[in-house]
Amino acid sequence: MFNQPISRRESIKRIAGFSAAAAAWSWPSIAIPGQGASGRVVVVGGGFGGATAAKYLKRMAPELAVTLVEPNTRYITCPFTNLYLGGIRSFESLWHSYDELRQRYDVEVIHELATDVDVDGHTVELASGTRLAWDRLILSPGIDIRWNELDGYDEAAAEKAPHAWKPGDQSRLLRQQLAGMKQGGTFVLVAPDNPFRCPPGPYERVSMVAHYLKNHNPSAKVLLLDAKDGFSKQGLFMQGWAEHYGDMIEWVSRSNDGTVIRVDADRLEVETEFGMIHAADVLNVVPPQKAGFIADRAGVTDASGWVPVRPDTFASALVDDVYVIGDATQAAPMPKSGFIASTQGKVAARAIAAELTGRVLLPEPSWANTCYSLIAPEHGISIVGVYEVYNGQLREVPDSGGVSPMGADPLFRQLEAEYARGWYAAITQDVWGTPAS
Amino acid sequence: MRKIGIFAFSIPVLASALFWWSSGPAHSDPQWVDSEVEVIAGDVSAEELFEARVEVIAMSCAACHGTDGRLRTAIPAIAGRPEALLNLQLQSFKQDRVPGATVMPRIARAYSEEELQGLAAYFAALDP
């Protein structure tokens, strides 16, 4: 039914049979024998984590009833919004539908906001008042912004100084402001302390902004005020900035008074920790974040505002029968990325299929992540992480992963830019069924 | 306590010891299991566990190669390609013997030779 030929099993058995490899799998596996084949799973959030979990649940256990709750009828990805800002990708190319989940995988998709969770009664409440019952609940709520955590930065301020960290109208607003910026103006990006969604995101963003400005506003400046002293793929980014944009981008670290403590959105000014006032022509504030609010409603967050999970399956560490995946979780050293959210969704789906069907085996889990960033349209860089559970903790598999080499030739950078575009096509096909264009 | 069963080991001790001896202890420490799960006796073969492990790893491959490894972009489709070729490529990535390779050596190093061989067999057996 889902294109799983019988020969695969035979083939793998053959491989396993002739070497000591078979013995490597002396791992316990999880299942519930005799629980029966019925089961109802509700997934809240139709992004990289939730949409993937819904699809893979039905691939592994078609007999389960799977409902996806997502207010938007089309999903706009955060990945590649920076390319839209840089003028090298249309906004519409970031849109994805739920047609494949409905039509091919028989997932019930309800376009409503989930407003509350009753963990004892095993129900989710929707904005319309409808209650959905579940045997297992998956929350993939993404992030919410901590309004006013940064003094002066509230929802009204975001209409003047956009964050554009949740794609949609905010992305369009920032794009309009960038395109309308006066010649020789200053684009200021305020980057937060860890943890936050998409660790390389602010740095790819200033790259794509600089790419746009280089062609349309070459005397402009880009000022990156950072609450950190280091960032993801830092050496590669700084090398690329110098190569493509000369001194257009200035990065101010925390130690050099980069931490912004106050935003004045009306005057487009920010104040730093030691009292420096920076004026902007376009002000892009990436604010402090927390798990999406429905996680709070379900009682799965802790004092940090994020969600602790059991590392093997991403079941909530606090509430039974609830799984949480994606940016909302505390899953360090995994980054808050769309790729890893999708991988977490697959492993959680496997765990739930194992629990509810009793026939799917859950072996030692494995998660992979690859984050590409574009510094220029033909200059891509990447970071890879493969993760495992060791001594009850998530960790990177030793001697694996890492970033693109420093000093690689232009062909290598161009290949990684091509692979970045290939990755986007592949993951959006894998998650939403979007045909590759 | 959640009702989750753990199948009892049915792996020959000798074979386990052989693997431990040949590969070192890095991946032979079953510490990932949730400490609160309830143990229920059962049997599962080594082959079934290996197959399940390969399936879980293969799910990650789909994020760049498309569902079931079937998508062709700048990144090649891998479904239905010859098993020997896929295996040669994966083992070569792991050994860092592919000039100009970008992310694959960093990924392949995370898996054992047997796992990579299992992945080659898995994707080779899928319809392209």
Side-chain angles (χ1 to χ4, degrees):
Chain A
M1 183 179 196
F2 296 113
N3 304 305
Q4 307 230 352
I6 294 164
S7 60
R8 177 168 57 83
R9 184 184 176 91
E10 296 308 314
S11 175
I12 287 169
K13 277 192 168 168
R14 184 162 45 77
I15 291 295
F18 68 68
S19 74
W25 310 109
S26 57
W27 294 83
S29 82
I30 292 176
I32 298 184
Q35 173 118 349
S38 69
R40 177 160 187 152
V41 182
V42 172
V43 183
V44 176
F48 284 91
T52 301
K55 171 170 169 173
Y56 276 76
L57 269 168
K58 292 296 282 188
R59 284 170 59 84
M60 288 182 266
E63 70 271 33
L64 296 177
V66 178
T67 301
L68 178 68
V69 179
E70 161 60 46
N72 300 304
T73 55
R74 63 171 180 242
Y75 187 80
I76 307 171
T77 60
C78 276
F80 277 28
T81 51
N82 288 332
L83 281 61
Y84 160 68
L85 292 172
I88 60 173
R89 185 115 189 164
S90 76
F91 200 49
E92 293 74 16
S93 74
L94 310 177
W95 296 355
H96 305 280
S97 86
Y98 295 94
D99 293 346
E100 185 193 57
L101 282 176
R102 279 200 182 89
Q103 292 161 16
R104 183 166 179 193
Y105 291 103
D106 196 28
V107 172
E108 180 189 19
V109 183
I110 299 177
H111 292 301
E112 275 200 62
L113 185 69
T115 53
D116 208 352
V117 176
D118 176 355
V119 295
D120 296 323
H122 277 51
T123 59
V124 169
E125 186 172 322
L126 308 185
S128 61
T130 305
R131 281 177 182 274
L132 302 174
W134 44 266
D135 297 305
R136 296 293 183 277
L137 176 66
I138 301 178
L139 299 178
S140 186
I143 56 156
D144 273 359
I145 287 163
R146 292 179 193 262
W147 299 113
N148 291 308
E149 173 104 347
L150 182 56
D151 188 14
Y153 199 69
D154 57 15
E155 282 153 294
E159 296 303 314
K160 293 167 181 162
H163 54 80
W165 218 243
K166 297 172 85 168
D169 292 343
Q170 281 277 303
S171 319
R172 290 181 191 271
L173 177 61
L174 186 60
R175 169 77 190 144
Q176 286 162 9
Q177 290 182 349
L178 175 64
M181 191 168 83
K182 74 176 186 193
Q183 289 295 309
T186 301
F187 182 103
V188 174
L189 187 145
V190 176
D193 200 356
N194 295 318
F196 63 99
R197 162 178 280 178
C198 191
Y203 313 96
E204 183 188 61
R205 176 162 294 177
V206 296
S207 304
M208 289 289 99
V209 165
H211 168 72
Y212 177 81
L213 293 173
K214 184 179 178 179
N215 292 315
H216 297 91
N217 191 345
S219 58
K221 288 283 176 195
V222 178
L223 181 63
L224 206 174
L225 299 173
D226 207 327
K228 300 179 295 303
D229 275 329
F231 58 87
S232 176
K233 299 180 262 194
Q234 181 173 351
L236 292 162
F237 271 115
M238 296 187 87
Q239 184 186 61
W241 292 344
E243 178 183 336
H244 295 284
Y245 309 119
D247 59 0
M248 180 183 270
I249 299 172
E250 181 187 357
W251 175 63
V252 183
S253 69
R254 174 186 201 131
S255 296
N256 288 312
D257 197 22
T259 303
V260 168
I261 58 162
R262 190 177 61 82
V263 174
D264 186 336
D266 291 323
R267 298 169 62 94
L268 294 184
E269 287 179 356
V270 296
E271 181 181 345
T272 61
E273 198 172 9
F274 296 106
M276 180 83 88
I277 304 284
H278 294 276
D281 293 289
V282 174
L283 179 56
N284 179 199
V285 177
V286 182
Q289 300 152 27
K290 61 183 178 181
F293 84 99
I294 198 71
D296 252 347
R297 303 299 308 163
V300 294
T301 52
D302 67 14
S304 71
W306 303 102
V307 177
V309 291
R310 300 180 184 201
D312 53 338
T313 59
F314 280 63
S316 163
L318 304 176
V319 177
D320 281 349
D321 299 335
V322 178
Y323 290 70
V324 189
I325 53 179
D327 293 350
T329 60
Q330 295 168 11
M334 294 176 179
K336 296 188 186 301
S337 77
F339 191 125
I340 202 74
S342 177
T343 317
Q344 290 164 357
K346 290 169 179 174
V347 174
R350 180 115 189 166
I352 291 170
E355 283 192 348
L356 293 180
T357 71
R359 75 180 153 70
V360 176
L361 294 179
L362 183 64
E364 180 198 4
S366 174
W367 300 264
N369 180 70
T370 300
C371 286
Y372 288 100
S373 302
L374 289 188
I375 295 176
E378 302 305 329
H379 185 142
I381 57 174
S382 62
I383 182 165
V384 171
V386 182
Y387 304 92
E388 64 182 3
V389 179
Y390 188 76
N391 286 338
Q393 303 279 326
L394 292 170
R395 71 165 184 182
E396 275 201 78
V397 177
D399 305 317
S400 73
V403 300
S404 311
M406 290 290 287
D409 60 34
L411 175 60
F412 193 98
R413 304 297 187 217
Q414 192 169 358
L415 275 173
E416 290 216 286
E418 292 297 339
Y419 293 150
R421 291 183 274 268
W423 163 77
Y424 186 85
I427 198 163
T428 56
Q429 182 278 319
D430 191 33
V431 179
W432 295 279
T434 307
S437 54
Chain B
M1 181 175 287
R2 290 182 299 158
K3 284 277 182 187
I4 298 177
I6 300 180
F7 288 108
F9 296 174
S10 60
I11 314 300
V13 172
L14 181 62
S16 289
L18 180 65
F19 176 78
W20 195 93
W21 179 72
S22 62
S23 301
H27 292 267
S28 53
D29 194 5
Q31 303 235 21
W32 65 273
V33 178
D34 191 320
S35 57
E36 291 188 31
V37 298
E38 185 177 343
V39 175
I40 299 171
D43 286 311
V44 62
S45 70
E47 288 81 2
E48 285 174 307
L49 274 174
F50 180 72
E51 181 179 342
R53 166 76 174 171
V54 168
E55 286 174 3
V56 166
I57 297 170
M59 290 194 297
S60 283
C61 305
C64 293
H65 295 278
T67 304
D68 290 326
R70 289 202 177 92
L71 195 67
R72 284 198 306 176
T73 67
I75 302 167
I78 47 179
R81 304 201 73 208
E83 181 182 328
L85 178 69
L86 287 176
N87 187 48
L88 177 63
Q89 289 175 317
L90 287 169
Q91 305 294 349
S92 301
F93 284 133
K94 180 178 173 66
Q95 294 158 15
D96 223 350
R97 289 194 289 125
V98 183
T102 56
V103 297
M104 280 307 300
R106 291 176 255 161
I107 296 167
R109 281 200 298 273
Y111 304 109
S112 70
E113 288 174 26
E114 291 80 6
E115 287 165 336
L116 295 175
Q117 190 157 28
L119 287 167
Y122 177 93
F123 283 107
L126 296 176
D127 294 332

